[in-house]
């Protein structure tokens, strides 16, 4: 664990005491995407453990905005593997040359609070909740399985193009693979094989497309 990550462990311990058992606190060391979680408090909320991988949202942020100066993203919705909605925020840990090397993540479960609010609002017949969460609001999937994380991201990007893989032109395949590359998918071990399967292509072909995009 590097020096930049170590400095945040006491902060994570402090937040765990202050925020209580309904908030999960996680520290990621982003020098190893496949085993990025190095510290966790209340991991039972998402079912993850030390040694589990990076999430799709953090991976995408690193790939698209790591050269910027943004320090955090806050108050977005995430989803556990069981489908429970959490409220999340992520602070990005940077080194002396501004490169993202880690992340401090908070995931809060307000399920019991929402149940209490639902009971109270049931007493108000004219109350309308205009902030009801839906699956369309999900920005992050909290999954301990790196293969599932990869598949979710690949499916999401391919679906955005709305084209059946076996009908894609060379240009369309290039666009899909570029989008996957831009989101950092190919930084995860085994992703090339998964993309090849999804796009009905060979692994060497995927590598040729990646090389073409980089050039």
């Amino acid at each position: 664990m590097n020096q930049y990550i170590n400095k945040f462990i006491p902060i994570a311990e402090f937040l765990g005491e202050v925020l209580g058992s309904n908030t999960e606190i996680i520290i990621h060391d982003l020098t190893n995407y496949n085993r990025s979680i190095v510290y966790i408090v209340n991991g039972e909320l998402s079912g993850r453990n030390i040694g589990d991988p990076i999430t799709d949202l953090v991976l995408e942020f690193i790939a698209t905005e790591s050269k910027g100066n943004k320090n955090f993203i806050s108050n977005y919705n995430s989803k556990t593997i069981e489908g429970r909605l959490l409220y999340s925020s992520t602070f990005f840990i940077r080194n002396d040359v501004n490169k993202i090397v880690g992340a401090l993540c908070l995931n809060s479960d307000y399920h019991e609070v929402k149940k209490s609010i639902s009971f109270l609002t049931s007493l108000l017949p004219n109350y309308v909740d205009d902030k009801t969460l839906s699956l369309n609001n999900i920005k992050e999937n909290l999954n301990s399985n790196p293969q599932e994380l990869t598949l979710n991201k690949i499916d999401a990007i391919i679906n955005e193009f709305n084209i059946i893989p076996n009908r894609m032109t060379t240009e369309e395949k290039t666009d899909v693979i570029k989008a996957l590359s831009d989101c950092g998918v190919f930084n995860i071990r085994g992703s090339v094989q998964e993309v090849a399967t999804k796009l009905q292509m060979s692994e060497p072909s995927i590598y040729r497309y990646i090389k073409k995009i980089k050039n």
Side-chain angles (χ1 to χ4, degrees):
M1 196 185 308
N2 64 59
Q3 58 176 320
Y4 305 99
I5 304 297
N6 280 332
K7 293 179 180 178
F8 281 83
I9 290 180
I11 297 174
E13 293 173 344
F14 167 71
L15 290 172
E17 290 290 328
V18 172
L19 299 177
S21 60
N22 73 322
T23 297
E24 175 186 74
I25 298 99
I26 286 180
I27 294 179
H28 288 278
D29 183 342
L30 301 180
T31 61
N32 185 349
Y33 291 167
N34 293 292
R35 296 180 58 84
S36 67
I37 295 180
V38 294
Y39 185 84
I40 189 165
V41 177
N42 300 325
E44 63 275 5
L45 291 183
S46 68
R48 291 179 295 168
N49 299 284
I50 290 175
D52 281 345
I54 192 174
T55 66
D56 47 359
L57 181 65
V58 178
L59 178 67
E60 182 173 347
F61 186 91
I62 293 169
T64 58
E65 300 189 44
S66 60
K67 295 180 181 179
N69 294 312
K70 192 168 186 178
N71 290 318
F72 60 85
I73 48 177
S74 59
N75 303 318
Y76 57 88
N77 301 325
S78 59
K79 178 169 68 79
T80 68
I81 192 171
E82 294 86 8
R84 174 166 287 196
L85 294 170
L86 303 179
Y87 300 82
S88 301
S89 297
T90 295
F91 182 89
F92 295 98
I93 303 169
R94 295 178 181 269
N95 63 15
D96 294 336
V97 294
N98 207 39
K99 178 182 178 182
I100 296 176
V101 295
L104 173 65
C105 303
L106 306 180
N107 304 300
S108 298
D109 182 359
Y110 295 133
H111 180 69
E112 295 301 321
V113 175
K114 287 175 66 179
K115 284 202 306 185
S116 298
I117 292 174
S118 295
F119 170 73
L120 293 174
T121 56
S122 69
L123 304 177
L124 304 172
N126 295 324
Y127 177 81
V128 177
D129 181 7
D130 60 357
K131 295 184 179 180
T132 301
L133 291 173
S134 71
L135 293 179
N136 293 329
N137 300 126
I138 301 298
K139 287 191 175 183
E140 183 176 32
N141 289 288
L142 308 180
N143 199 322
S144 60
N145 185 329
Q147 185 178 28
E148 283 296 321
L149 183 153
T150 306
L151 288 173
N152 288 340
K153 198 63 181 176
I154 293 170
D155 286 338
I157 290 175
I158 291 176
N159 290 338
E160 287 178 6
F161 286 83
N162 198 28
I163 305 170
I164 298 173
N166 62 12
R167 294 183 180 178
M168 286 183 178
T169 64
T170 299
E171 183 178 352
E172 288 165 344
K173 288 179 180 178
T174 301
D175 290 340
V176 171
I177 292 172
K178 184 178 186 304
L180 291 166
S181 179
D182 288 345
C183 288
V185 165
F186 295 116
N187 290 322
I188 297 179
R189 186 172 58 246
S191 59
V192 170
Q193 180 182 358
E194 298 295 350
V195 172
T197 300
K198 292 286 185 180
L199 294 182
Q200 300 177 25
M201 298 169 62
S202 67
E203 290 183 42
S205 294
I206 298 295
Y207 281 114
R208 284 196 293 271
Y209 274 85
I210 294 172
K211 183 177 180 179
K212 176 184 175 182
I213 289 166
K214 289 181 178 179
N215 290 339

